Amino acid sequence: MEFESNYEIATTADFIYSRKFTRVALQFPDNLLKDATRVVRALKAKLLSLRDSGEEHNGDNNDVGLYVMADTTYGSCCVDEVGASHINADCVIHYGHTCLSPTSTLPAFFVFGKTPINVSNCVENLSKNALANEKPILVLYGLEYAHAIPHIREALKEALSSDVSGPKLEINYANVMCTVINPSENHKSINEPASGSPADDISGAVTGTRYAIGGLTWNIPEGHKMEDYLLFWIGSDNSAFANVVLTFNSSEIVRYDAAEERLVTDVSHRLRILKRRYYLVEKAKDANIIGILVGTLGVAGYLDMIHQMKELITKAGKKTYTFAMGRPNPAKLANFPECDVFITVSCAQTALLDSKEFFAPVITPFEAMLAFGRGRQWTGAYVMEFRDLISSSPVEVRNQAEEARFSFIRGRYVEDTDQQETFNDEQGEEGALALVTAAEKALQLRDGNVNHLVKGTAKSGAEFFLGRSYHGLEIHGDGSSPEPYIVGRSGKASGYEDEKSKQES
Amino acid sequence: MVKFTADELRRIMDYKHNIRNMSVIAHVDHGKSTLTDSLVAAAGIIAQEVAGDVRMTDTRADEAERGITIKSTGISLYYAMSDDSLKSYGGERQGNEYLINLIDSPGHVDFSSEVTAALRITDGALVVVDCVEGVCVQTETVLRQALGERIRPVLTVNKMDRCFLELQVDGEEAYQTFQRVIENANVIMATYEDPLLGDVQVYPEKGTVAFSAGLHGWAFTLTNFARMYASKFGVDESKMMERLWGENFFDAATKKWSSKNTGSPSCKRGFVQFCYEPIKQIIGICMNDQKDKLWPMLQKLNIALKSDEKDLMGKALMKRVMQTWLPASDALLEMMIFHLPSPSKAQKYRVENLYEGPLDDQYAAAIRNCDPEGPLMLYVSKMIPASDKGRFFAFGRVFSGKVSTGQKVRIMGPNFVPGEKKDLYVKSVQRTVIWMGKKQETVEDVPCGNTVAMVGLDQYITKNATLTNEKEVDAHPIRAMKFSVSPVVRVAVQCKVASDLPKLVEGLKRLAKSDPMVVCTIEESGEHIIAGAGELHLEICLKDLQEDFMGGAEIVKSDPVVSFRETVLEKSCRTVMSKSPNKHNRLYMEARPLEEGLPEAIDDGRIGPRDDPKSRSKILAEEFGWDKDLAKKIWCFGPETTGPNMVVDMCKGVQYLNEIKDSVVAGFQWASKEGALAEENMRGICFEVCDVVLHADAIHRGGGQVIPTARRVIYASQLTAKPRLLEPVYLVEIQAPEQALGGIYSVLNQKRGHVFEEIQRPGTPLYNIKAYLPVIESFGFSSTLRAATSGQAFPQCVFDHWDMMSSDPLETGSQAAQLVVDIRKRKGLKEQMTPLSEYEDKL
């Protein structure tokens, strides 16, 4: 029975049945894949029983097709709409950890799962923390703990009411935005800072600023800022938490680790990430060739974002290439050594890719705006959701009397690509012709410039390739006789046969 | 003080033969600024309306407080020679008026970069040496630098007053001391044989050595005395000069000259008899207030004192008398005018040092001839903060042509390459400015041979640049300056209030501009780093940053840190192999240390990526015992393609090897920048590619497969070759009396330093100690030393070399391992090093 409730079989079946979906894609992350068959079986049974108990006259639509999707191309937190459309699905049921990013074409139903939590321990920690702190508390949580929040709220109320002497505590809870996303409706609700949405906070404030992050939403009464609150996060130290820490980096944050049942007050390692991102922004400023990684094909507005990025970078006099690449890893990105930096356009929780293994830094659209938009400065504010960027910042027109840019990576002023030149080129020629001219230019400059292999010196991919020592096929002029046959290697890549014998001997 | 209007000053600027650009260089505390002050007091040009006596150099409050010069300060002097004294001057001249542009530079080694910047725009140098302390480390350093720039030196033996008042040495002993000082200086100069510059050694008998007492404002050259006595003895002035120095003795009893001491008590050396003794006598009389004896003597010497000055007593009287008799300004300025070259003379031979382009093009010709009608060639040597916050003057020297207000100029930065558009701007000069004392005056234009400050270019110049006319697209830049110190000490700074970050960023940009040496960068962890030459330098930089460039916003600084280097001790114990992510490609490599001296040769640019392969293999074969063929197989240097590490191809007959070369090189550039131990730069490692197994399909051996693999195999080979840390080491020179030696030794011991030279200065109780001291131990060294020697020892530290730390960083608990942990922690890395097994693969 626990299995059924964990996977919310009943609600899911209800959702499918009531909306009369016939082809349903079930999206599982890798760690839940093992349960997929049981879920399908249970769902099928439930749907069948629903249909039997329901109106009989609807017999023409006799079977609901359930399809299991695994190994999603992009982050498993996003709804894989492309995958779902392969089977012409008309809705997606998403299991496990999610970023609740809005979808663009398909309705989606989310099953967060129910991770067990020790409610009393959590409440104890929470109340202790609340008493020790003067600030009002805002409780945020991982979606897998959403099921326990009403219990916690109740338990806390009880605990605090028994403590009569306690000062008046202000504890706010964030709500789960929704468990169903419909592509048609979400645009409205995102773009209007929904004032009419029902707010059932304890504080009872109806008007105020509405915040939404990673599927959670809450209101803050007017006159209050996020910095005034102590954020209490229930959940593990995952990407959702990182998202919260970075977005609200000026607020005080504590984390209750439900698995270990303890309070973690030191989240400085997350803030160190922020500094690291600052470094990456500085580094990106020195880049000449930028690769845009399309990290999602589902999150609404991703195309707008890519266009905006392209425009921004072109205006900055730099070159862009766009790559559609699922789950970028160092080896994949290193296939494009000409790119000095990559921008990944994806949902907020998969956007932070920082590993020393990457040959070139990978930054988010927000960071790209800081790096390539002139006159913008790192203020500490951080935006993860690219949707918040689309409307907020139109690409500004660069003024003429600008100064040379100081590069902190090189510790001196550096010149940026001559923009006028770039503009002229773009007016005159397009597409393939532009490439030819770029190559020509590179040809002219070639001698004396052996450093193209150092990052950030080439201005286009063509120029980079011309700087390489290897230019493709090498024709050996001497000896016209055909090469003799050579017996190749045999065996497996992990150790060819000739290598094995060498090892043994 | 000479009061001038800007127009009058501008007029003299056209007489290129009558200009002397010179810098004052010396060891710290040898009295440069004091001496300069006495010159300025007499001949400094100030704007007409500025009245009153103001100290001209050491303009900053902290300079006065610390008693040292921090920034070099330029000042113009005006001197009108009499026809009489110019009669023996053989060079070209236009009238009798002379303009001397003098730059007072700091003596502390931490600020040597200021000296370098000053030397670039001057043609002559006044080397100031303390007559007691003699030639010290910094004297030597700056002198070498000056000669390297083809700057002609003259010498002044300073602090003469100490001989008379403090030490009370007799004439012969003093002569010996002076002689030794001059000889020491000449030893250094003699090593710079230069047919174009000619003999650069200094000789008192030729008038290129002065004797001065900066504090009391008097000085003389033998010319002064020779002139005085020539008429009396009825001999030629030059003949008299020769007799006043060296092995020339005069017997007062017989009135005869001889070339050695006859032994009779009345026989004395010419210098002692005619120069030293009279001064000693006068000083003695003045100090003892024997005014009855004084007045007739003064009359004989033709010295007229004002009536109120006659009432002075003791030291004040002595000072006044000496200043009137032997004014420092006359002696020194005459020496400069006679013996230092004018711009037109100096640029004839300096053009080779200055100009990067072909020496037969029109720009070289214009510089050579110091042609005011030629194309503009101007070198900006430093940026000077202007009084309105945030702006800078670009300060430099016009080598040819004229720079004028409103002119459009091409700005060629240090990274400019002729024919490219990199680091190149065309902007107009908003104003050209000359300094008149502390006041800046705008002038229409400034002709070649002069120094100038320009407004409106500061946003395009970091530290230095070459300027030419807008149209002169073929001009090559003027060679960049080479600094003798390197920024090895670093601190991380952050602002106390997070929202001040934009201020910090802006402040750092300005700081980077204002100082020729400081480097402002950012660490991988996102911390802002300021790197300077030494502790004192950083202290000054931080103060400037906070007070001047950030408007007082509070900053937090970390403890000073030094950067280390990673190297290897031996050849890898085995050939290591790494597989590509797809397991289809394997790279086999070994690491070995580069031969001794090779990393330095690469640093100096003797060996580098741009060499002709033939000459490179010649050097490698002859000096470092490389195989000739192997030398041709160097794939690259790194990091940054020029660093002191390399990849050498040792493979035989590998298919597609060329194809992956670029990927291996890219991986190597990456790995050599961030070594396996603590992500510090590598140094002195040679990576040998032993064998390569590649997949037959090109798609499976692309960059994505090879670059990360090359990095891993490089790390693996580093870790198997006994990796070691290199730490930067200072050369410390300390001068102290004997009784302080004990304290010095104990402090050095405690700080892991070791003394390798201890010499007593001949004729003094002072010892010169040279020692090596790890930079990391040098923080607080100077103050500890002062405390341990009751202020008698003052160290000068300059980066010397990288020293290998003997302990094994791979052995837990060792000193090096602890250091690695500390560095990793600071950088925000995992404290544990990545183990070898992560990098090395097995079949």
Side-chain angles (χ1 to χ4, degrees):
Chain A
M1 216 51 227
E2 197 184 319
F3 177 82
E4 297 233 326
S5 91
N6 200 8
Y7 282 98
E8 297 176 36
I9 301 293
T11 358
T12 314
D14 220 32
F15 170 74
I16 298 171
Y17 183 75
S18 63
R19 297 214 186 183
K20 302 191 175 59
F21 291 125
T22 52
R23 296 171 81 82
V24 178
L26 308 180
Q27 186 186 343
F28 286 89
D30 294 352
N31 59 326
L32 296 180
L33 206 54
K34 57 183 191 298
D35 293 334
T37 45
R38 285 179 70 192
V39 171
V40 171
R41 219 175 294 136
L43 260 183
K44 271 218 167 110
K46 192 77 193 167
L47 281 169
L48 217 61
S49 67
L50 271 177
R51 202 176 51 176
D52 291 345
S53 61
E55 313 100 88
E56 277 79 23
H57 68 270
N58 222 353
D60 53 333
N61 223 352
N62 50 12
D63 205 15
V64 175
L66 294 176
Y67 299 84
V68 172
M69 290 198 299
D71 192 23
T72 41
T73 321
Y74 303 105
S76 55
C77 63
C78 302
V79 175
D80 186 1
E81 290 180 83
V82 176
S85 48
H86 279 302
I87 46 146
N88 278 330
D90 40 27
C91 98
V92 179
I93 311 292
H94 181 280
Y95 290 92
H97 178 77
T98 176
C99 53
L100 275 180
S101 302
T103 55
S104 41
T105 52
L106 292 177
F109 182 82
F110 293 89
V111 176
F112 305 133
K114 291 174 182 166
T115 314
I117 182 171
N118 184 338
V119 172
S120 62
N121 186 281
C122 177
V123 166
E124 192 183 318
N125 272 304
L126 180 54
S127 61
K128 214 187 286 168
N129 206 277
L131 291 172
N133 212 292
E134 288 166 10
K135 289 182 179 177
I137 289 182
L138 179 67
V139 179
L140 304 175
Y141 42 87
L143 294 174
E144 64 272 27
Y145 295 108
H147 66 98
I149 295 303
H151 305 296
I152 291 175
R153 193 185 277 198
E154 283 307 311
L156 189 66
K157 229 181 213 167
E158 259 170 51
L160 289 179
S161 58
S162 64
D163 184 8
V164 208
S165 60
K168 206 185 122 212
L169 282 174
E170 196 188 338
I171 299 178
N172 300 341
Y173 296 89
N175 300 312
V176 176
M177 202 152 42
C178 51
T179 53
V180 181
I181 287 186
N182 289 328
S184 48
E185 78 188 28
N186 68 58
H187 275 296
K188 273 177 241 148
S189 66
I190 291 301
N191 289 340
E192 296 161 20
S195 51
S197 72
D200 53 354
D201 286 358
I202 289 182
S203 61
V206 186
T207 57
T209 330
R210 180 163 180 265
Y211 287 86
I213 187 167
L216 296 176
T217 169
W218 64 93
N219 279 347
I220 281 187
E222 248 168 296
H224 282 204
K225 287 194 297 258
M226 273 311 287
E227 290 91 83
D228 302 335
Y229 287 84
L230 174 79
L231 303 188
F232 189 94
W233 173 264
I234 302 170
S236 57
D237 192 5
N238 56 11
S239 59
F241 178 58
N243 190 3
V244 169
V245 175
L246 287 184
T247 309
F248 302 110
N249 57 61
S250 48
S251 307
E252 201 179 330
I253 297 176
V254 293
R255 181 171 73 90
Y256 172 74
D257 197 314
E260 293 174 38
E261 299 191 358
R262 65 192 178 90
L263 202 65
V264 186
T265 48
D266 181 31
V267 292
S268 61
H269 67 286
R270 287 288 176 190
L271 288 173
R272 208 176 295 135
I273 292 176
L274 196 68
K275 280 182 125 183
R276 167 82 185 163
R277 305 308 296 185
Y278 174 59
Y279 166 78
L280 294 181
V281 170
E282 287 296 323
K283 201 160 177 185
K285 285 180 181 172
D286 280 4
N288 282 325
I289 305 175
I290 292 112
I292 299 176
L293 296 179
V294 184
T296 173
L297 293 176
V299 182
Y302 76 96
L303 272 178
D304 301 334
M305 195 66 229
I306 292 168
H307 288 310
Q308 193 178 332
M309 282 290 119
K310 273 189 187 163
E311 197 183 341
L312 177 76
I313 292 162
T314 318
K315 284 232 168 106
K318 293 160 197 268
K319 184 93 189 136
T320 62
Y321 295 94
T322 312
F323 305 95
M325 189 185 281
R327 303 198 183 175
N329 64 25
K332 280 187 195 170
L333 293 191
N335 275 325
F336 308 97
E338 61 270 34
C339 288
D340 303 315
V341 64
F342 293 96
I343 302 171
T344 164
V345 177
S346 69
C347 78
Q349 295 188 15
T350 48
L352 279 190
L353 279 173
D354 182 33
S355 160
K356 296 287 293 178
E357 301 294 310
F358 284 108
F359 188 52
V362 184
I363 61 174
T364 64
F366 169 71
E367 288 161 343
M369 284 191 171
L370 285 178
F372 303 122
R374 276 300 178 96
R376 295 192 59 148
Q377 263 176 333
W378 180 278
T379 50
Y382 199 87
V383 183
M384 298 281 295
E385 298 271 353
F386 67 73
R387 271 166 286 123
D388 301 343
L389 291 170
I390 294 176
S391 49
S392 68
S393 47
V395 181
E396 59 251 68
V397 182
R398 298 149 60 102
N399 54 341
Q400 283 296 293
E402 66 195 16
E403 63 176 295
R405 189 174 55 78
F406 188 89
S407 160
F408 276 104
I409 303 296
R410 298 184 216 179
R412 59 177 174 79
Y413 279 73
V414 290
E415 75 297 335
D416 282 328
T417 324
D418 201 329
Q419 306 122 290
Q420 288 139 6
E421 194 183 320
T422 324
F423 282 135
N424 290 344
D425 284 354
E426 240 124 86
Q427 279 161 12
E429 310 119 15
E430 292 196 359
L433 254 182
L435 186 72
V436 171
T437 34
E440 257 171 25
K441 238 182 276 159
L443 261 180
Q444 291 158 5
L445 307 178
R446 219 185 118 199
D447 52 13
N449 207 343
V450 296
N451 286 351
H452 280 324
L453 287 176
V454 179
K455 312 228 77 180
T457 46
K459 300 243 189 291
S460 71
E463 201 177 313
F464 178 85
F465 285 119
L466 286 166
R468 288 173 48 130
S469 66
Y470 177 71
H471 297 295
L473 290 177
E474 279 162 67
I475 297 158
H476 301 286
D478 53 327
S480 53
S481 60
E483 292 279 319
Y485 281 111
I486 301 168
V487 180
R489 256 181 229 106
S490 56
K492 285 189 298 182
S494 59
Y496 296 109
E497 267 158 27
D498 56 328
E499 284 173 329
K500 279 205 179 113
S501 63
K502 213 192 316 180
Q503 203 180 25
E504 280 153 17
S505 61
Chain B
M1 290 285 178
V2 189
K3 283 177 193 150
F4 261 2
T5 61
D7 292 342
E8 283 172 297
L9 179 58
R10 173 65 189 80
R11 179 178 55 84
I12 320 174
M13 288 178 135
D14 277 330
Y15 306 150
K16 62 178 181 182
H17 296 293
N18 288 26
I19 298 170
R20 300 288 182 271
N21 293 309
M22 45 131 0
S23 35
V24 186
I25 53 175
H27 191 77
V28 66
D29 229 11
H30 279 196
K32 287 173 306 292
S33 298
T34 321
L35 198 63
T36 312
D37 268 351
S38 67
L39 294 182
V40 172
I45 295 175
I46 55 168
Q48 196 95 56
E49 56 267 44
V50 178
D53 198 348
V54 267
R55 273 176 68 94
M56 281 300 151
T57 56
D58 283 7
T59 40
R60 298 159 52 111
D62 50 349
E63 290 184 326
E65 214 171 275
R66 286 166 197 267
I68 56 165
T69 310
I70 291 166
K71 298 282 174 197
S72 54
T73 322
I75 187 100
S76 294
L77 308 176
Y78 169 81
Y79 192 66
M81 296 282 275
S82 65
D83 281 329
D84 197 31
S85 50
L86 274 171
K87 132 178 121 209
S88 56
Y89 182 71
E92 277 185 84
R93 64 188 173 93
Q94 292 152 300
N96 297 352
E97 292 174 302
Y98 282 88
L99 177 69
I100 295 151
N101 296 317
L102 184 147
I103 296 176
D104 178 29
S105 61
H108 195 283
V109 71
D110 276 14
F111 307 112
S112 330
S113 52
E114 290 278 341
V115 183
T116 312
L119 287 173
R120 168 50 62 89
I121 57 168
T122 54
D123 305 309
L126 176 65
V127 185
V128 183
V129 183
D130 186 319
C131 69
V132 180
E133 289 187 5
V135 174
C136 292
V137 59
Q138 188 63 3
T139 320
E140 194 178 327
T141 317
V142 290
L143 194 52
R144 283 187 193 285
Q145 241 178 39
L147 292 165
E149 280 268 347
R150 285 203 170 130
I151 307 280
R152 178 173 282 283
V154 289
L155 185 82
T156 182
V157 181
N158 199 22
K159 301 204 180 176
M160 290 288 281
D161 45 315
R162 287 178 77 182
C163 284
F164 297 107
L165 300 176
E166 211 176 294
L167 306 170
Q168 307 258 345
V169 288
D170 75 18
E172 186 58 27
E173 203 184 329
Y175 171 83
Q176 294 298 346
T177 316
F178 303 153
Q179 174 66 16
R180 220 166 11 239
V181 168
I182 296 163
E183 249 169 42
N184 283 342
N186 276 338
V187 166
I188 301 163
M189 298 189 215
T191 55
Y192 284 82
E193 270 312 323
D194 188 342
L196 284 171
L197 194 52
D199 186 6
V200 287
Q201 297 189 46
V202 292
Y203 307 97
E205 64 270 30
K206 287 188 183 161
T208 44
V209 177
F211 301 87
S212 58
L215 193 63
H216 295 171
W218 58 267
F220 66 90
T221 59
L222 294 187
T223 325
N224 299 110
F225 279 95
R227 205 177 290 150
M228 223 182 290
Y229 292 114
S231 52
K232 194 172 156 197
F233 284 100
V235 290
D236 198 40
E237 211 176 292
S238 57
K239 182 117 183 139
M240 193 63 213
M241 292 259 285
E242 272 166 37
R243 284 183 175 166
L244 287 178
W245 194 255
E247 303 302 303
N248 291 299
F249 296 87
F250 185 75
D251 195 326
T254 60
K255 298 218 183 291
K256 277 226 163 59
W257 288 92
S258 60
S259 61
K260 57 176 188 279
N261 198 337
T262 54
S264 95
S266 54
C267 180
K268 279 181 186 161
R269 198 180 284 273
F271 176 75
V272 178
Q273 177 79 33
F274 294 108
C275 305
Y276 194 79
E277 299 270 304
I279 296 173
K280 197 177 170 187
Q281 209 179 342
I282 297 240
I283 289 179
I285 291 172
C286 291
M287 291 305 281
N288 299 328
D289 289 329
Q290 295 159 308
K291 290 198 174 170
D292 47 334
K293 280 194 199 164
L294 183 64
W295 305 137
M297 285 186 80
L298 291 187
Q299 206 151 23
K300 231 171 29 190
L301 290 168
N302 238 339
I303 305 170
L305 288 187
K306 292 196 196 94
S307 54
D308 56 330
E309 289 168 348
K310 289 185 177 169
D311 300 333
L312 294 170
M313 301 288 278
K315 213 168 191 167
L317 176 69
M318 181 272 284
K319 237 171 122 173
R320 195 63 246 163
V321 169
M322 291 304 291
Q323 275 172 9
T324 326
W325 181 30
L326 301 167
S329 54
D330 285 1
L332 295 174
L333 292 174
E334 270 190 52
M335 176 165 77
M336 294 168 197
I337 289 166
F338 268 78
H339 299 286
L340 295 182
S342 68
S344 75
K345 205 167 148 194
Q347 284 176 209
K348 280 198 175 58
Y349 51 81
R350 287 191 70 198
V351 62
E352 284 178 33
N353 289 43
L354 292 169
Y355 190 53
E356 262 189 2
L359 289 172
D360 50 3
D361 71 3
Q362 55 158 324
Y363 308 101
I367 295 176
R368 190 176 294 119
N369 301 329
C370 191
D371 183 1
E373 305 306 324
L376 173 69
M377 289 299 279
L378 188 155
Y379 189 75
V380 175
S381 69
K382 66 177 285 186
M383 306 295 286
I384 302 173
S387 48
D388 48 337
K389 297 272 176 201
R391 301 310 300 271
F392 288 84
F393 292 109
F395 184 73
R397 152 109 175 241
V398 190
F399 284 99
S400 77
K402 279 180 186 164
V403 63
S404 53
T405 299
Q407 183 180 3
K408 269 208 161 175
V409 291
R410 262 166 79 87
I411 306 170
M412 296 181 272
N415 288 51
F416 170 77
V417 181
E420 288 186 26
K421 295 210 161 165
K422 218 163 102 187
D423 216 356
L424 178 77
Y425 301 97
V426 176
K427 293 291 161 226
S428 54
V429 179
Q430 281 173 12
R431 277 195 300 139
T432 46
V433 169
I434 49 174
W435 252 269
M436 299 185 82
K438 281 182 175 171
K439 203 168 172 334
Q440 300 107 32
E441 292 282 347
T442 306
V443 289
E444 192 53 40
D445 58 357
V446 172
C448 55
N450 289 286
T451 49
V452 63
M454 286 154 293
V455 180
L457 304 178
D458 54 345
Q459 289 173 318
Y460 305 95
I461 305 175
T462 320
K463 291 173 198 282
N464 38 58
T466 306
L467 309 188
T468 62
N469 298 100
E470 188 191 359
K471 299 260 151 41
E472 309 294 349
V473 289
D474 298 325
H476 288 244
I478 287 171
R479 200 160 276 142
M481 296 185 283
K482 213 171 174 219
F483 294 109
S484 61
V485 286
S486 31
V488 282
V489 183
R490 304 137 54 87
V491 284
V493 287
Q494 53 183 355
C495 25
K496 213 164 199 172
V497 188
S499 58
D500 277 345
L501 185 70
K503 266 192 201 163
L504 177 68
V505 168
E506 196 53 39
L508 287 170
K509 286 180 193 171
R510 291 184 193 158
L511 177 66
K513 234 178 222 190
S514 71
D515 189 293
M517 172 54 60
V518 77
V519 180
C520 300
T521 49
I522 187 167
E523 283 254 297
E524 296 253 330
S525 57
E527 285 174 306
H528 281 285
I529 301 286
I530 303 177
E535 216 185 350
L536 181 63
H537 184 211
L538 272 185
E539 199 182 311
I540 301 290
C541 287
L542 285 168
K543 189 169 164 290
D544 279 0
L545 173 66
Q546 189 168 355
E547 290 174 10
D548 296 347
F549 303 132
M550 283 179 65
E554 277 192 272
I555 49 174
V556 185
K557 70 172 175 90
S558 71
D559 287 335
V561 289
V562 299
S563 46
F564 288 76
R565 294 285 183 271
E566 296 181 16
T567 191
V568 295
L569 188 63
E570 288 172 8
K571 198 177 175 74
S572 297
C573 57
R574 59 175 183 272
T575 306
V576 290
M577 182 271 280
S578 297
K579 287 183 194 170
S580 59
N582 64 8
K583 317 282 182 223
H584 285 288
N585 305 284
R586 330 214 194 300
L587 297 179
Y588 294 83
M589 261 197 210
E590 280 176 17
R592 65 171 177 86
L594 283 177
E595 285 75 6
E596 209 180 313
L598 190 47
E600 286 74 21
I602 299 172
D603 282 344
D604 297 344
R606 284 180 54 227
I607 300 172
R610 282 159 201 268
D611 293 346
D612 168 46
K614 265 191 195 144
S615 66
R616 181 201 291 165
S617 57
K618 196 170 162 225
I619 299 179
L620 284 172
E622 285 172 5
E623 290 181 36
F624 301 104
W626 278 47
D627 188 89
K628 271 230 154 106
D629 294 327
L630 188 61
K632 287 181 191 141
K633 297 193 141 180
I634 296 176
W635 270 5
C636 65
F637 296 84
E640 311 294 342
T641 66
T642 52
N645 304 286
M646 51 176 97
V647 177
V648 181
D649 165 28
M650 307 277 275
C651 311
K652 287 190 182 72
V654 173
Q655 239 183 335
Y656 321 122
L657 187 63
N658 294 336
E659 212 171 309
I660 64 154
K661 182 179 160 186
D662 295 303
S663 302
V664 173
V665 168
F668 165 70
Q669 297 299 349
W670 183 15
S672 58
K673 206 170 170 192
E674 301 168 354
L677 298 178
E679 299 200 352
E680 296 280 343
N681 285 3
M682 294 185 183
R683 182 180 172 84
I685 313 182
C686 176
F687 293 98
E688 296 175 345
V689 185
C690 304
D691 193 11
V692 171
V693 177
L694 295 173
H695 194 278
D697 296 344
I699 189 69
H700 294 302
R701 50 171 198 260
Q705 296 300 326
V706 178
I707 294 174
T709 315
R711 175 168 176 255
R712 288 175 62 229
V713 75
I714 282 170
Y715 285 159
S717 47
Q718 185 197 357
L719 289 175
T720 49
K722 300 218 163 148
R724 289 289 181 272
L725 283 181
L726 293 173
E727 64 171 344
V729 175
Y730 274 140
L731 169 69
V732 191
E733 186 161 303
I734 309 167
Q735 204 158 48
E738 197 173 358
Q739 64 268 23
L741 290 187
I744 295 173
Y745 273 88
S746 78
V747 173
L748 275 172
N749 270 340
Q750 173 198 330
K751 297 254 178 196
R752 288 199 293 133
H754 75 272
V755 176
F756 65 94
E757 194 184 286
E758 181 197 302
I759 300 176
Q760 184 172 15
R761 281 201 168 277
T764 64
L766 292 173
Y767 280 79
N768 243 16
I769 294 158
K770 282 189 182 170
Y772 289 127
L773 177 74
V775 174
I776 199 163
E777 303 282 355
S778 72
F779 308 127
F781 174 65
S782 164
S783 52
T784 320
L785 193 64
R786 246 174 293 163
T789 58
S790 44
Q792 287 172 304
F794 185 72
Q796 289 268 340
C797 302
V798 58
F799 170 73
D800 191 74
H801 65 276
W802 294 97
D803 200 19
M804 192 183 289
M805 305 188 74
S806 53
S807 59
D808 183 357
L810 298 181
E811 189 187 306
T812 34
S814 71
Q815 190 202 1
Q818 186 53 45
L819 212 58
V820 167
V821 170
D822 289 346
I823 299 171
R824 295 185 71 94
K825 220 189 274 176
R826 176 167 57 78
K827 289 188 175 173
L829 308 169
K830 272 202 245 61
E831 280 181 32
Q832 277 307 311
M833 256 182 262
T834 318
L836 175 61
S837 54
E838 288 284 297
Y839 297 129
E840 188 186 13
D841 292 315
K842 300 271 183 238
L843 273 174

